Amino acid sequence: MISVEEALRILLANLPEPGVETVEFRSSLGRVLAEDLLATSDIPPFDRCAMDGYAVRAEDTRPAPVELAVAGESRAGGGMPAGLEAGSAVSIMTGAPVPPGADAVVVVEQCRRSADRSRVEILEPVGCGDNIAPRGCEARVGDPVLRKGHRVGPSEIAVMASFGHARVRVYRKPTVAILATGDELVEIDREPRPDQIRNSNAYCLAAQLELLGFSSDYLGIALDAREDLERKITAGLQRDILIMTGGVSMGEYDLVRDVFRDLGLEILFSKVSIKPGKPTVFARKGDRLIFGLPGNPVSALTTFECFVRPALGRLCGMKKPELPRMKGTLLGDVKQVSGRTAFLPAWVFWEGEEWKVDPLPWKSSADIVGYTGANAAYIFPKHLDRLQRGDRVEIMLLPDFFARQR
């Protein structure tokens, strides 16, 4: 049995190189850029007005108050204005080009227009450059505006549109298949016998993948029979990632291990010092990765976040795809058998000047109903057997932490 840290080290050392593809820029949302994107023009492309008011020569506003002739108007999309002569002003709107010869804008609140609209009184002087965004102050032609490795959000989509990057190179998302195993499982539309349960893990894992931005192919339930297991695993190996759930606990693992070896899979680890989720398997065949997650629902959910998420995220070009962690103050006493790092359900909230960690009742790794009350997991160090109220603990926020409500 290896530590969580050693399992992650092995996992990350065995990831293939990420693939790259070209996509339409609107489809790049949530993806990671595989190239630098450069400015194709200066932004702004002209000296741009930052406030509604009057474009002037700063020296003409001193001493204030002073009256200037209104020589015209400049508005966004209205074309480039004519040059400004001394002793005059141009009415200007936010975002419009500043006329040549003007070096400042007086905001409209500091102006008084004459009744016949031909003149304007400037009530306060301005300095050179006031309320003007100079040409190229945001980006110059050839400047990198988005770097390789940058994850694309709404503002990045706007940048691509601004510079005409209609198609962009991003890291390819791996294809993923999910396979449930076990004679005890039936599908959700079936009535289970007294010795059976409905398959929930595959749907939980698909939902976790969706929150990470992945779609997945569900391969169904494999029976505890070599022929069926081998056939469905072979189908799963047509994808980049195969996530199996069940069939990896002591006794059950013998069959899975034999099928893995028959199919030429290299098993890199099969037991991790984590609670829940000790019987977690990681294997590979060439560039194909296989995760064997435990059959208990909370174990499968936890080991996905601890091991599958870091792998999938990096294959998409993410630098640090792990769930965010922070420190909080425990609100109750908790006991555990020492020896394995435990990820236990909690409700975490901000109160006063710190995060508070309310530990939820822990029945077993099968208690997915109890886990629905959690928005985070607190981490119980493997060398301890008790934590006390008031202790500072590390917490791992669940993917939908900010959306969950109590």
Side-chain angles (χ1 to χ4, degrees), residues 317-333:
M318 296 181 198
K319 296 185 178 93
K320 193 173 181 183
E322 290 83 1
L323 292 175
R325 297 190 184 188
M326 56 191 67
K327 295 281 190 176
T329 298
L330 196 63
L331 297 183
D333 299 336

Side-chain angles (χ1 to χ4, degrees), residues 274 301-307 309 322-327 343-344 346 348 357 371 375-379 393-399 401:
I274 185 173
L301 185 152
T302 301
T303 51
F304 176 95
E305 299 299 350
C306 289
F307 302 116
R309 172 183 285 271
E322 290 83 1
L323 292 175
R325 297 190 184 188
M326 56 191 67
K327 295 281 190 176
F343 290 75
L344 305 177
V348 171
V357 183
Y371 208 90
N375 64 358
Y378 67 99
I379 301 172
V393 294
E394 187 175 19
I395 51 181
M396 180 178 77
L397 306 185
L398 294 182
F401 174 85

Side-chain angles (χ1 to χ4, degrees), residues 252-287:
E252 299 173 328
Y253 179 52
D254 291 343
L255 176 59
V256 171
R257 180 190 58 205
D258 291 345
V259 171
F260 276 17
R261 288 177 177 165
D262 288 349
L263 293 174
L265 276 62
E266 178 187 7
I267 299 170
L268 297 162
F269 60 75
S270 58
K271 282 186 183 178
V272 182
S273 182
I274 185 173
K275 181 178 183 179
K278 180 173 73 172
T280 296
V281 176
F282 174 57
R284 68 176 290 176
K285 181 177 184 179
D287 286 345

Side-chain angles (χ1 to χ4, degrees), residues 212-284:
L212 190 52
F214 285 83
S215 58
S216 57
D217 296 323
Y218 175 48
L219 303 181
I221 300 169
L223 302 176
D224 293 328
R226 178 185 294 269
E227 182 178 332
D228 192 46
L229 194 58
E230 186 170 317
R231 180 171 57 84
K232 288 190 167 74
I233 291 176
T234 299
L237 292 174
Q238 303 305 305
R239 283 75 167 182
D240 299 309
I241 309 286
L242 172 60
I243 304 173
M244 298 174 56
T245 173
V248 293
S249 298
M250 190 173 295
E252 299 173 328
Y253 179 52
D254 291 343
L255 176 59
V256 171
R257 180 190 58 205
D258 291 345
V259 171
F260 276 17
R261 288 177 177 165
D262 288 349
L263 293 174
L265 276 62
E266 178 187 7
I267 299 170
L268 297 162
F269 60 75
S270 58
K271 282 186 183 178
V272 182
S273 182
I274 185 173
K275 181 178 183 179
K278 180 173 73 172
T280 296
V281 176
F282 174 57
R284 68 176 290 176

Side-chain angles (χ1 to χ4, degrees), residues 25 28-30 146 150-162:
F25 83 102
S28 68
L29 185 66
L146 293 174
H150 195 104
R151 192 171 187 191
V152 178
S155 60
E156 287 76 11
I157 294 290
V159 169
M160 294 174 194
S162 296

Side-chain angles (χ1 to χ4, degrees), residues 2-306:
I2 61 175
S3 68
V4 172
E5 295 75 18
E6 176 64 8
L8 278 170
R9 187 195 66 76
I10 293 171
L11 172 63
L12 299 182
N14 281 276
L15 297 182
E17 285 296 314
V20 174
E21 63 181 347
T22 300
V23 300
E24 196 268 338
F25 83 102
R26 285 173 295 185
S27 300
S28 68
L29 185 66
R31 308 287 289 274
V32 178
L33 287 173
E35 63 177 342
D36 291 343
L37 297 184
L38 307 182
T40 56
S41 62
D42 291 342
I43 294 291
F46 44 74
D47 292 342
R48 184 180 64 204
C49 176
M51 302 285 285
D52 289 350
Y54 290 85
V56 297
R57 298 196 319 166
E59 64 184 48
D60 289 343
T61 67
R62 291 185 294 271
V66 62
E67 196 171 72
L68 303 174
V70 177
E73 178 185 78
S74 180
R75 58 185 177 82
M80 296 300 291
L84 182 72
E85 295 182 359
S88 62
V90 167
S91 175
I92 193 166
M93 300 178 186
T94 302
V98 176
D103 58 14
V105 171
V106 185
V107 297
V108 70
E109 292 82 3
Q110 294 174 356
C111 302
R112 185 182 296 127
R113 191 85 175 253
S114 65
D116 64 1
R117 312 292 290 172
S118 66
R119 302 187 68 79
V120 62
E121 185 179 10
I122 307 300
L123 304 178
E124 297 288 342
V126 288
C128 185
D130 284 2
N131 303 310
I132 293 177
R135 174 175 178 160
C137 66
E138 296 168 14
R140 291 278 186 186
V141 172
D143 284 350
V145 288
L146 293 174
R147 292 285 192 179
K148 178 181 178 180
H150 195 104
R151 192 171 187 191
V152 178
S155 60
E156 287 76 11
I157 294 290
V159 169
M160 294 174 194
S162 296
F163 293 107
H165 291 293
R167 294 182 65 78
V168 295
R169 285 166 58 80
V170 295
Y171 290 104
R172 186 178 66 84
K173 286 186 179 181
T175 55
V176 184
I178 299 172
L179 175 63
T181 69
D183 290 341
E184 76 279 13
L185 298 180
V186 297
E187 291 295 2
I188 63 168
D189 56 352
R190 295 277 304 279
E191 188 67 32
R193 299 191 311 255
D195 62 335
Q196 292 178 318
I197 56 173
R198 291 187 177 92
N199 169 28
S200 62
N201 285 1
Y203 301 102
C204 181
L205 292 168
Q208 289 175 272
L209 285 164
E210 190 169 342
L211 285 177
L212 190 52
F214 285 83
S215 58
S216 57
D217 296 323
Y218 175 48
L219 303 181
I221 300 169
L223 302 176
D224 293 328
R226 178 185 294 269
E227 182 178 332
D228 192 46
L229 194 58
E230 186 170 317
R231 180 171 57 84
K232 288 190 167 74
I233 291 176
T234 299
L237 292 174
Q238 303 305 305
R239 283 75 167 182
D240 299 309
I241 309 286
L242 172 60
I243 304 173
M244 298 174 56
T245 173
V248 293
S249 298
M250 190 173 295
E252 299 173 328
Y253 179 52
D254 291 343
L255 176 59
V256 171
R257 180 190 58 205
D258 291 345
V259 171
F260 276 17
R261 288 177 177 165
D262 288 349
L263 293 174
L265 276 62
E266 178 187 7
I267 299 170
L268 297 162
F269 60 75
S270 58
K271 282 186 183 178
V272 182
S273 182
I274 185 173
K275 181 178 183 179
K278 180 173 73 172
T280 296
V281 176
F282 174 57
R284 68 176 290 176
K285 181 177 184 179
D287 286 345
R288 304 292 198 237
L289 304 181
I290 302 89
F291 293 90
L293 307 184
N296 277 331
V298 180
S299 299
L301 185 152
T302 301
T303 51
F304 176 95
E305 299 299 350
C306 289

